[in-house]
Amino acid sequence: MSDMTPDLPVIRLKPKANAQAIRRGAPWVFDNELVMDRRSKALAPGSIARLEDAERNALGVVAVNPNSRITARMLDRDPEARIDSGWFRVKVDKALSLRERLYDLPFYRLIHAEADGLPGVIVDRFGDTLVVQPNAAWADVLLAPLIQALADATGARTILKNSGGRGRALEGLDDADAVLMGVAPDAPVPVTMNGAIYMADLTGGQKTGLFFDQRENHAFAARLARGAQVLDVFSHVGGFGLAALVGGAQSCLCADGSAPALALAVEGARRMGAAERLDTVKGDAFAVMETLAEQPARFDLVVCDPPAFAPNKPALEKGLRAYERVARLAAPLVAEDGYLVLCSCSHAADLSSFTGACLRGIGRAGRRAQLIHSGFSGPDHPLLPQLAESGYLKALFFRL
């Protein structure tokens, strides 16, 4: 793909828009903040433009999608920047240098969207295979130089495109997955993390195949698991459960609605030599917890890591009720002086709201709790301070 021409179209902020917030690092410009005249509305989704304030002072180079509520995404504060192959390589190298300092093994979130200067772009690394989620129109348009930069920087042999992200629908993009380079793996890929072995289905699993964001929280839970009987609800491929087995758990029961995900958890435990300590149950998580409550056995460590119940602000109230219900059903399953871990990946539910919902649920279950630790996403998921949405993950560790 040829480099972008420096002769860029211009889009302009309305007089009342907060240009200072953009100068201080805000990465998004919404449709109601821009002068959307006929020329601006005619820009093709994914176009590169120069952003100016109402006084025609240049603010930087942005990616534009007139069909999205987030109409402009900041790419570079330099208004003369060329969004070309060299620009992509600088961004990827910068992101890679952080991960290589943090991790001995090549399993991590390599690109975390706005926080790594590539808005809407997610890249997870599984050794010599990369899974890319281009969740913004500009990344779809400029996919070729992005992929080349990723391949050159990492030496990856296979690059897969995952189009399942919610963001693509909001951007008006398709949901077609693709093999962008190399050959797609024909079997799940083993990933070593915190000493556990996880099986990542890169072509048929959830999101990119594995959730790297819980790595630090898995490790903390493992410290609580020595000699424990563990219940991992919404377990997916055994995220917390396999970490607990590495931490010396006596046994672990993984509960999830997906039979393929549970099969991957079993295979991970087998490869770790811990298959005899892992049991699974397939079913609706709420129903599973209600059934377990009718049995006498209690667990020393219970972890609930559900999907995003509040993916946006309109869903917040309903989502908080769902988190409260999780806590109410999970708390009775915890033995006295045992531990309860409750997680949320909903950016609309901030830490205070989520904590309140959890405490209400624990209280309604007749239990009292100490909050011993609050966990967040790992450092391969850096936060952009000016973008609250990048701080989506919360994990609360209670002793009951």
Side-chain angles (χ1 to χ4, degrees), residues 20-35:
Q20 198 60 23
I22 295 167
R23 290 191 177 94
R24 290 171 179 164
W28 294 347
V29 186
F30 293 93
D31 52 1
N32 60 357
E33 298 176 293
L34 291 163
V35 177

Side-chain angles (χ1 to χ4, degrees), residues 142-227:
L142 294 178
L143 199 53
L146 169 62
I147 295 310
Q148 191 61 55
L150 289 167
D152 291 345
T154 65
R157 297 178 183 177
T158 299
I159 300 182
L160 307 177
K161 177 185 176 183
N162 180 292
S163 298
R166 274 195 304 267
R168 287 185 64 83
L170 296 173
E171 287 276 298
L173 303 173
D174 64 55
D175 59 356
D177 296 341
V179 179
L180 302 175
M181 194 179 88
V183 179
D186 57 6
V189 174
V191 173
T192 302
M193 191 163 54
N194 293 319
I197 298 175
Y198 298 96
M199 304 305 297
D201 182 353
L202 305 188
T203 56
Q206 292 185 40
K207 299 292 181 71
T208 62
L210 194 67
F211 299 104
F212 287 125
D213 53 1
Q214 289 279 25
R215 185 193 315 249
E216 309 292 323
N217 300 319
H218 290 165
F220 193 90
R223 294 169 60 187
L224 304 175
R226 188 175 63 253

Side-chain angles (χ1 to χ4, degrees), residues 96-105 108 378-381:
L96 180 61
S97 67
L98 171 64
R99 279 69 178 184
E100 289 186 333
R101 181 172 290 269
L102 290 169
Y103 305 112
D104 295 329
L105 298 174
Y108 41 70
D380 57 340
H381 292 64

